[in-house]
Amino acid sequence: MKRSLKALVAGFALLCSVNVAQAADIKIGTFLAVTGPASFLGDPELKTLQMYVDKINSEGGVIGKKLKLIHYDTGANPKKAVNFAKRLIKKDRVDVIVGASTSGTTMAVIPIVQKAKIPFISMAGSVKIIEPVKKWVFKTPHTDKMAARKIFLDMNKRGIKKVGLISGSGGFGKSGRSQVLALASEYGLTITADESYGKKDTDMTAQLSKIRATNPDAILNFGFGSGPAIVTKNVRQLGIKLPIYQSHGVASKKYIKLAGSAAEGVRLPAASLLVASKLPGSHPQKKVIQAYKSSFEAKHGPVSTFGGHAYDALYLAVEAIKRAGTVNKAKVRDEIEKTKNFLGAGGIFNMSKRDHLGLGLDAFKMLEIKNGDWSIVE
Amino acid sequence: MSDVLLQSLITGITIGSAYALVGLGFAIIFNVSDVVNFAQGEFVMVGAMSAVSLLAVGTPFVLALFLALIVVVCIGLILEKFAIEPAKSATVVSTIIITIGASIFLRGLALLIWGKDFHSLPAFSGETPIHLGSATITPQSLWVMGITAILVYLVHLFFNRTITGKALLACSANPIAASLIGIPVKRMMLFAYGLSALLGGAAGVLIAPIAFTSYDAGMMLGLKGFAAAILGGLGNPMGAVAGGVLLGVLESLGAGLISSGYKDAIAFVILLLVLFFKPQGFFGRAGEERV
């Protein structure tokens, strides 16, 4: 009896000491779609976070403390995202959340982080995440609104007047669709058709022949995953020779691989990261991008822009903690909002009270797919 | 409008053919054992994925397809031998739950082996579309329709003209009586699973050049195939085929003529209506009760 009591006390002491050691860490919570339909986002994002958390720790950590990454896999399911966000806040007691691969999961957790008053940097595309501005919510990827503007500018240059729109029915596609519909008239464009497809649909020829019947000058597809590749193939299978525009949602080599020769001539706006080696040496981001690209590729194979969003999110948080000198949530939030001239993988960030993204249209490059590779238009 | 109609029909029949093959697999196993095999969709995925891997290591195209089918058949046989057969005294519902478990297991295994990426198979004979008036059809669509038709005809012949096929039907009618007249019921079950896996795998390699494949591609195809089998009347193989083609065409017409947003809803509303007014399906035998 006595011995077991001693063991119990010893065990309790040990437990306490472990707790103390953990409390000294800076806890970074994340929930990403590492599996499921958006795994091509979550997978490079998680790899990036792990890689740079290790790197920062090996260089002595931040404000004298080690970083600790706590991760949950959402499979792009908003319900799971809500549960994991609650767990990160209440049980793991993290200091800052960088995470959410998709717009759907991000939007679902916004009420929770706002209530818990914890800084949250999202890696999802939709402009709705930061418009209207939410006090505790930031994001790193370019918005669909910016993508739509960039695409429309290019269409104006090519003399395209009528656009047939087809979008995915997920959060990204829906949000992109509403931006396209809202902005088209500003650029003198008419949307002749407005079609959609489901996340796991395998054939879009029915929608595309409907679009063809409306005689557009170009086809614009907003979506991610396998959908845009099927759309691209189907367009060419139907013998439609119109120019195709894709969104930044397909900015990865996998899209070219899946769509094959049908992807030739497709144009899309994307971050400079995708064409790192083709950038001029004077480009201010070149150094950051090259460093990220080479360290990611040394470990995990071809880089995608999505991992870059995770890099930006992590470093925005880390830099803010450094400037604040504490993990006090309100102070860290204020510092994130004060971010100026931060050179990230996605562009140069200048945040403000009214802009929780801080990227300009110049963060996007218009690319065209030529011979199975990206090339810069402009 | 007529070209949209024609194009929707072509698309619908192509996708419907894949649903038909999956539905046929459901119907065969249901026929023999009253069990709905929810791992049917995973057969489709494994077929396509194996073919992708075999091609990647340099196997000649046709050989890769055949080897992929053999892999799927083996998985079907293993599933029956090591998961279904040991539980032969279990109720039908328990067996169905076993197949759901098997499907989750196969999906997990595929995730470990092939990762999370989408994969694509090259088309069997080029990608130059053939023009039919204002609509187009890809050579791959013709392959899908043609091979499906041949497979369905062979299965039909098998059930109606061969002793093995009739023995299989006998097992479904009354397993005890079947074993009394000397039909090896156990082996027949094994055979049914092998055949279903073969059909699923065939659907997989046929549809992969059009629809791509990933570790979770079987889930959706499995569901649609199940809906096809219900639509046609569970347990009626030819009904499942008709149900599959019908489902594909309905989806595609829904997308082309009404609204692409409600495509799946249209197909499933029709499925619900059929279940309300004709619960035995279009081609199912009414009020059938096995004693």
Side-chain angles (χ1 to χ4, degrees):
Chain A
M1 184 63 206
K2 213 172 184 182
R3 190 183 295 166
S4 68
L5 196 70
K6 227 185 234 171
L8 203 69
V9 171
F12 189 67
L14 198 70
L15 207 69
C16 288
S17 69
V18 168
N19 268 344
V20 169
Q22 272 181 349
D25 287 341
I26 298 175
K27 286 197 241 172
I28 298 189
T30 184
F31 51 97
L32 298 165
V34 179
T35 58
S39 61
F40 69 103
L41 300 171
D43 185 56
E45 285 165 354
L46 181 62
K47 282 174 179 160
T48 302
L49 289 182
Q50 284 165 340
M51 198 166 83
Y52 280 94
V53 163
D54 288 349
K55 182 168 176 272
I56 293 170
N57 282 340
S58 72
E59 288 164 0
V62 183
I63 54 168
K65 294 175 179 178
K66 295 266 177 210
L67 297 184
K68 186 167 180 254
L69 189 70
I70 301 169
H71 168 256
Y72 299 108
D73 178 11
T74 62
N77 180 343
K79 268 187 215 149
K80 280 192 190 170
V82 167
N83 287 339
F84 290 142
K86 283 184 185 155
R87 196 190 298 183
L88 284 171
I89 294 166
K90 292 195 180 128
K91 193 158 159 274
D92 302 319
R93 297 181 172 279
V94 296
D95 298 303
V96 53
I97 301 179
V98 295
S101 309
T102 64
S103 300
T105 49
T106 304
M107 295 310 285
V109 304
I110 282 179
I112 299 164
V113 298
Q114 285 283 94
K115 209 175 141 208
K117 300 193 188 332
I118 182 165
F120 171 42
I121 307 178
S122 165
M123 303 165 197
S126 172
V127 72
K128 287 179 189 158
I129 296 166
I130 48 154
E131 265 181 33
V133 172
K134 287 130 198 122
K135 192 172 176 202
W136 297 88
V137 183
F138 302 85
K139 67 176 232 125
T140 54
H142 320 81
T143 63
D144 34 17
K145 195 175 187 176
M146 293 164 65
R149 284 188 189 281
K150 193 81 183 176
I151 291 169
F152 288 165
L153 282 174
D154 193 62
M155 285 180 169
N156 283 350
K157 266 188 223 156
R158 284 167 105 182
I160 290 164
K161 296 263 179 266
K162 292 183 291 176
V163 182
L165 172 67
I166 178 164
S167 48
S169 61
F172 180 80
K174 268 191 197 153
S175 171
R177 171 184 170 271
S178 59
Q179 296 305 324
V180 167
L181 295 179
L183 292 171
S185 58
E186 202 177 304
Y187 292 84
L189 297 164
T190 351
I191 306 293
T192 60
D194 174 17
E195 295 292 322
S196 71
Y197 55 83
K199 214 181 259 178
K200 296 214 164 181
D201 279 8
T202 50
D203 190 297
M204 287 72 159
T205 47
Q207 291 95 315
L208 289 167
S209 42
K210 215 171 151 187
I211 289 177
R212 175 170 59 186
T214 64
N215 284 319
D217 301 328
I219 292 175
L220 169 57
N221 179 200
F222 240 101
F224 68 64
S226 62
I230 298 178
V231 167
T232 311
K233 277 183 99 170
N234 285 168
V235 169
R236 297 308 178 219
Q237 276 162 14
L238 288 170
I240 302 173
K241 300 215 164 55
L242 299 172
I244 303 176
Y245 283 88
Q246 288 287 352
S247 71
H248 53 312
V250 303
S252 102
K253 273 275 164 71
K254 281 173 200 160
Y255 164 73
I256 302 184
K257 204 179 138 208
L258 280 179
S261 60
E264 287 298 305
V266 170
R267 287 195 178 187
L268 66 147
S272 317
L273 178 60
L274 220 50
V275 283
S277 57
K278 297 186 178 98
L279 288 176
S282 59
H283 197 279
Q285 275 174 273
K286 180 143 183 154
K287 234 175 102 187
V288 183
I289 293 175
Q290 287 282 31
Y292 170 68
K293 189 176 148 89
S294 53
S295 44
F296 188 92
E297 288 187 345
K299 231 177 148 180
H300 302 297
V303 77
S304 75
T305 55
F306 314 120
H309 301 321
Y311 171 90
D312 293 347
L314 179 67
Y315 273 92
L316 279 174
V318 165
E319 293 291 320
I321 292 171
K322 265 189 203 162
R323 286 198 301 271
T326 161
V327 288
N328 178 294
K329 294 188 178 72
K331 285 192 180 138
V332 171
R333 190 215 80 92
D334 291 347
E335 285 303 329
I336 297 176
E337 197 169 67
K338 283 183 204 151
T339 299
K340 285 280 172 290
N341 288 322
F342 167 72
L343 287 176
I348 304 162
F349 290 82
N350 283 299
M351 300 226 182
S352 68
K353 272 204 167 71
R354 283 165 51 207
D355 186 0
H356 277 191
L357 164 64
L359 287 176
L361 263 195
D362 55 340
F364 263 139
K365 293 260 174 290
M366 183 51 78
L367 305 183
E368 184 172 314
I369 297 167
K370 272 186 193 153
N371 305 319
D373 198 4
W374 315 108
S375 64
I376 305 176
V377 188
E378 285 163 323
Chain B
M1 211 60 203
S2 68
D3 58 325
V4 178
L5 192 71
L6 185 62
Q7 191 65 53
S8 302
L9 270 177
I10 292 172
T11 305
I13 296 173
T14 309
I15 296 295
S17 300
Y19 296 165
L21 283 180
V22 182
L24 189 56
F26 272 111
I28 289 172
I29 290 181
F30 183 81
N31 237 344
V32 182
S33 57
D34 279 352
V35 165
V36 178
N37 169 31
F38 277 104
Q40 193 65 31
E42 269 53 48
F43 292 156
V44 181
M45 177 270 296
V46 171
M49 287 296 214
S50 312
V52 169
S53 291
L54 286 162
L55 277 181
V57 296
T59 322
F61 191 67
V62 179
L63 186 66
L65 297 191
F66 275 103
L67 287 178
L69 291 184
I70 291 173
V71 169
V72 183
V73 171
C74 289
I75 288 186
L77 297 180
I78 291 170
L79 170 69
E80 203 282 334
K81 195 78 198 162
F82 295 104
I84 309 293
E85 204 182 295
K88 65 171 183 290
S89 55
T91 60
V92 167
V93 175
S94 312
T95 320
I96 291 177
I97 293 171
I98 291 175
T99 68
I100 294 177
S103 114
I104 296 171
F105 173 75
L106 285 174
R107 214 178 304 140
L109 202 62
L111 178 63
L112 286 179
I113 299 175
W114 290 295
K116 285 160 279 184
D117 287 350
F118 288 96
H119 297 277
S120 165
L121 274 179
F124 291 8
S125 56
E127 303 204 14
T128 324
I130 302 157
H131 289 264
L132 296 172
S134 57
T136 53
I137 184 166
T138 56
Q140 189 63 29
S141 292
L142 293 177
W143 278 105
V144 175
M145 295 177 200
I147 294 183
T148 302
I150 293 171
L151 284 176
V152 167
Y153 184 65
L154 288 179
V155 169
H156 179 75
L157 278 187
F158 169 74
F159 274 118
N160 290 293
R161 297 287 159 81
T162 66
I163 282 291
T164 324
K166 293 196 170 177
L168 213 58
L169 286 181
C171 295
S172 81
N174 190 332
I176 296 170
S179 67
L180 281 177
I181 58 167
I183 297 172
V185 176
K186 252 192 205 171
R187 208 183 307 152
M188 284 295 141
M189 281 281 282
L190 203 58
F191 191 86
Y193 272 84
L195 184 59
S196 290
L198 177 72
L199 292 170
V205 295
L206 283 171
I207 205 76
I210 297 177
F212 306 138
T213 181
S214 64
Y215 79 97
D216 58 353
M219 223 164 17
M220 190 276 293
L221 278 168
L223 260 181
K224 295 280 169 76
F226 179 59
I230 298 267
L231 208 54
L234 255 180
N236 180 342
M238 294 308 123
V241 172
V245 176
L246 192 66
L247 188 68
V249 170
L250 281 176
E251 267 185 11
S252 178
L253 284 180
L257 298 181
I258 305 171
S259 159
S260 42
Y262 295 113
K263 186 182 91 144
D264 286 330
I266 291 163
F268 283 112
V269 162
I270 289 172
L271 178 68
L272 279 179
L273 288 178
V274 169
L275 287 178
F276 275 138
F277 297 107
K278 216 169 164 2
Q280 71 276 27
F282 278 137
F283 308 96
R285 280 150 294 180
E288 176 187 32
E289 189 60 52
R290 285 173 190 140
V291 189

